[in-house]
Amino acid sequence: MRNSLRALGAISHAGLALYKGLKGFEPQDKQSLLEAIVQTPIGSAYPEAFQRWKAALKDAVFLEATTRTPLAIGLGNSSPLENGLSIHHTYGTPYLPGSALKGLLRRAAERFGLSESEKAVLLGEGPDPKQKKPGNAAYLVYWDGWLDPASAQPFQQDVITVHHQEYYSTRGQVWPTDFDDPNPVAFLSVRPGVKFHIPITCPAENAQDWPHKAAEMLKWGLEHLGLGGKTNAGYGYFAVKLPPKPKSAQEEGLELLNTYQKRIAAIKPANERGELDFFLRELADKPPAVRRPVLEAIKKHLQEWKVWKESNPQHARIQELLDL
Amino acid sequence: MIFWQALTPVHPGTGQDSSSVIDLPVAREAATGFPVIPASSLKGVLRDGRDDEQSNRLFGSLENAAELTLTDARLLLLPVRSYAGTFAFLTCPLVLERLKRDQKALGLPELKAPIPNPGQTEALVPKNTQIVHANQVILEDIDLSATVGGAEALAQELGQLVFGAESSYFVGRFALVSNEVFDYFCEMGLEVIARVRLENESKTVANGALWYEEAIPAETVFSSFAIGNGFEELNRPYIQIGGQASVGRGLLRRLGGE
């Protein structure tokens, strides 16, 4: 740390503090640096930036993932403390890199037994030089997961203690003993109870089932496989809330049919004209896939009843809507 | 004139391996070394793979050249991590002179505020600033002495031009620095993202599967020009551009434009 900064208390950017803020290399210097980072609230720019980001991705499927255990992701990023953390370059907030989420999904996909072609859509595939097949990119976009702006102080101090340094560094050449000096290493992690928002989008129209499918698998991965480092020591597990899955057009159509079932069965010569008027008015603006089951039921009813005639303008209109 | 603001890091790749520690660098202008989004990328994203008659006319085909002319999206404001205020929006006289020259060439109203020349160790900031601590603007590896109020008119005008109603978000973080300081941050201050590939079974990093990607950080603002009239394609509020798209890079928001 430069002399001019020694007096500076709270550093507004956690990433900058972590990478450039170390005063010296004594253990107490590390300790005080981590303390300062943990106590620094996230910057004032972030809530506004978060809203802009969320508005830009309004069509995405958003997962809400809350850490149940500490999270240590990006430990390998170089830092003066030797253990880094994924911290957003501009805002200094912890975040979940999209590449890590996509990698986790790839592992989860193994468990879900997806076919090769399903994996190609979700994750993309590399080129195959033998069959001269070019690779293709994934059809979905896994965005970085952003911190919920309400989580004002997301960091915590953490420590990992190496008990048998020589044993590890010589790869087992030296035996571990009870007389080895433990070596505590301080590092930064994300504390439990911190919420992240993870968007997944699919640029193709009429393919919104895919991001929902990916979200379900990612939920399973985040809850059971863990994200980031030290997952075998209980780090990186989440509680995930999925967005409500929109009903498919078929489901909506069947529900609509259910509500009208009795009314259709009750169509009689006496009320036919009025009832058909009602249904044509109700259904005209509904999407074709939604209104189809009801129209088909009416047609069937009229046919069973042997009054279905193409020359009847109302019947012709029903057929026209079915053919669209 | 259109301004684009990066909402996520942008990686307009060079498609080339570099000889430095960064495995995947971003595209830069040859003369200045400023990161840039090439016009061909912008044009390709706006065309979106369409091949109908209208797109052929707008974007060109093998038979005829395009009616629409787009320029590279040039760097206008670079976010740099700051000890106070989280980050600063930096720009320099060279960038602004260039913007002014382009505005003139295209017959658009020019920037009116004078463009002062900050010294090598100086940062000019407006009166209402969040990035000054003890008379200094402290960025990454460089301390600059702050001249508060030195860029008042410029900050207000740029804020209105680029951010409109969100102007105050920008003004509080704006700093005009010398060309050399700006150049340094373009070279050294971009985001570097470490990527790894893990072995599925052992969950350890696969052999040789660590690489470093460079990205233009979120919040960066670019300016580009579109010449031609009435092109709805340019009215899209958001586009996604550049490499590593499936892990969420390159989301741009459109700002202003006339």
Side-chain angles (χ1 to χ4, degrees), chain A residues 1-2 4-5 7-13 15-17 19-21 42-46 48-49 52-53 55-58 76-78 87-92 95 97-100 102 106-107 110 123 137-138 140-144 146 201 203 225 231-232 237, chain B residues 5-9 79-87 89 130 133-134 136 138-143 163 166 168-169 173 184 189-195 198-203 212 217-220 237-238 240 244-253 255:
Chain A
M1 189 182 234
R2 288 162 289 152
S4 58
L5 304 179
L8 207 63
I11 296 168
S12 68
H13 192 296
L16 191 56
Y19 294 108
K20 305 267 161 91
I42 57 170
S44 60
Y46 185 67
E48 218 176 303
R52 273 205 299 267
W53 171 80
L57 294 169
K58 63 180 185 307
N77 292 351
S78 57
I87 296 179
H88 195 283
H89 180 87
T90 307
Y91 308 114
Y95 75 105
S99 58
K102 194 177 165 190
R106 189 178 288 279
R107 277 190 70 213
E110 299 290 327
L123 303 160
L140 303 189
V141 183
Y142 305 91
W143 303 90
D144 291 341
W146 280 33
T201 57
L225 298 175
T231 47
N232 286 355
Y237 293 89
Chain B
Q5 181 188 26
L7 297 182
T8 63
V80 174
R81 299 189 286 193
S82 163
Y83 272 77
T86 313
F87 66 94
F89 280 115
Q130 302 179 25
H133 178 88
Q136 284 190 314
I138 300 161
L139 304 165
E140 297 266 352
D141 306 315
I142 296 185
D143 303 348
F163 284 86
E166 296 166 24
S168 67
Y169 178 83
R173 297 190 168 77
Y184 170 81
L190 298 192
E191 183 168 2
V192 176
I193 302 164
R195 297 273 304 270
L198 300 183
E199 292 288 5
N200 201 10
E201 291 306 316
S202 63
K203 293 198 278 180
Y212 290 96
E219 292 283 340
T220 304
Y238 304 104
Q240 198 188 2
Q244 308 293 352
S246 80
V247 292
R249 307 259 197 278
L251 182 63
L252 299 185
R253 172 173 77 131
L255 289 168

Side-chain angles (χ1 to χ4, degrees), chain B residues 93-153:
Chain B
L94 175 64
V95 166
L96 294 177
E97 297 288 357
R98 232 166 41 156
L99 180 76
K100 217 164 148 174
R101 189 190 63 199
D102 292 347
Q103 284 173 324
K104 192 174 172 190
L106 289 164
L108 294 167
E110 288 174 53
L111 274 183
K112 283 187 216 62
I115 302 173
N117 240 328
Q120 293 279 8
T121 58
E122 192 186 16
L124 304 182
V125 295
K127 284 192 207 95
N128 203 346
T129 183
Q130 302 179 25
I131 57 172
V132 172
H133 178 88
N135 290 323
Q136 284 190 314
V137 175
I138 300 161
L139 304 165
E140 297 266 352
D141 306 315
I142 296 185
D143 303 348
L144 299 166
S145 61
T147 307
V148 177
E152 182 66 28

Side-chain angles (χ1 to χ4, degrees), chain A residues 45-299:
Chain A
Y46 185 67
E48 218 176 303
F50 179 86
Q51 292 309 333
R52 273 205 299 267
W53 171 80
K54 200 150 186 197
L57 294 169
K58 63 180 185 307
D59 296 330
V61 172
F62 272 90
L63 283 87
E64 287 180 22
T66 309
T67 49
R68 279 196 298 121
T69 61
L71 170 72
I73 189 163
L75 280 181
N77 292 351
S78 57
S79 113
L81 294 186
E82 295 171 33
N83 288 313
L85 190 69
S86 286
I87 296 179
H88 195 283
H89 180 87
T90 307
Y91 308 114
T93 55
Y95 75 105
L96 312 177
S99 58
L101 296 168
K102 194 177 165 190
L104 177 63
L105 187 70
R106 189 178 288 279
R107 277 190 70 213
E110 299 290 327
R111 305 269 181 129
F112 277 78
L114 295 189
S115 69
E116 286 303 316
S117 53
E118 280 174 312
K119 272 194 243 173
V121 173
L122 285 173
L123 303 160
E125 59 187 343
D128 187 347
K130 273 192 203 136
Q131 293 172 24
K132 296 198 174 141
K133 238 174 62 184
N136 70 278
Y139 287 96
L140 303 189
V141 183
Y142 305 91
W143 303 90
D144 291 341
W146 280 33
L147 178 74
D148 190 286
S151 304
Q153 294 183 336
F155 298 108
Q156 68 176 10
Q157 279 178 269
D158 213 326
V159 71
I160 179 171
T161 306
V162 185
H163 284 263
H164 306 293
Q165 206 169 3
E166 270 208 292
Y167 170 69
Y168 289 114
S169 58
T170 60
R171 293 180 178 263
Q173 297 288 310
V174 178
W175 282 72
T177 70
D178 282 354
F179 322 116
D180 291 342
D181 264 346
N183 177 26
V185 180
F187 70 103
L188 200 61
S189 63
V190 177
R191 62 179 174 76
V194 172
K195 196 201 272 182
F196 293 90
H197 297 261
I198 307 169
I200 301 175
T201 57
C202 179
E205 281 169 40
N206 297 326
Q208 295 312 308
D209 281 354
W210 281 107
H212 279 281
K213 173 121 183 138
E216 271 170 35
M217 290 194 290
L218 192 58
K219 171 185 159 84
W220 186 85
L222 287 167
E223 286 177 345
H224 297 94
L225 298 175
L227 184 73
K230 292 166 70 60
T231 47
N232 286 355
Y235 280 64
Y237 293 89
F238 289 80
V240 181
K241 210 174 109 198
L242 283 180
K245 192 174 174 178
K247 283 183 201 140
S248 69
Q250 279 95 335
E251 284 171 323
E252 248 182 87
L254 289 177
E255 260 178 38
L256 201 63
L257 176 61
N258 253 337
T259 51
Y260 286 136
Q261 198 100 52
K262 277 194 185 141
R263 193 161 172 176
I264 293 170
I267 298 179
K268 294 266 148 45
N271 64 4
E272 184 196 333
R273 183 179 286 261
E275 286 296 275
L276 290 189
D277 257 350
F278 163 80
F279 277 113
L280 285 172
R281 209 169 46 239
E282 277 295 288
L283 299 173
D285 297 332
K286 295 241 184 326
V290 175
R291 67 189 176 203
R292 174 168 292 272
V294 177
L295 287 170
E296 274 172 351
I298 297 175
K299 184 178 169 184

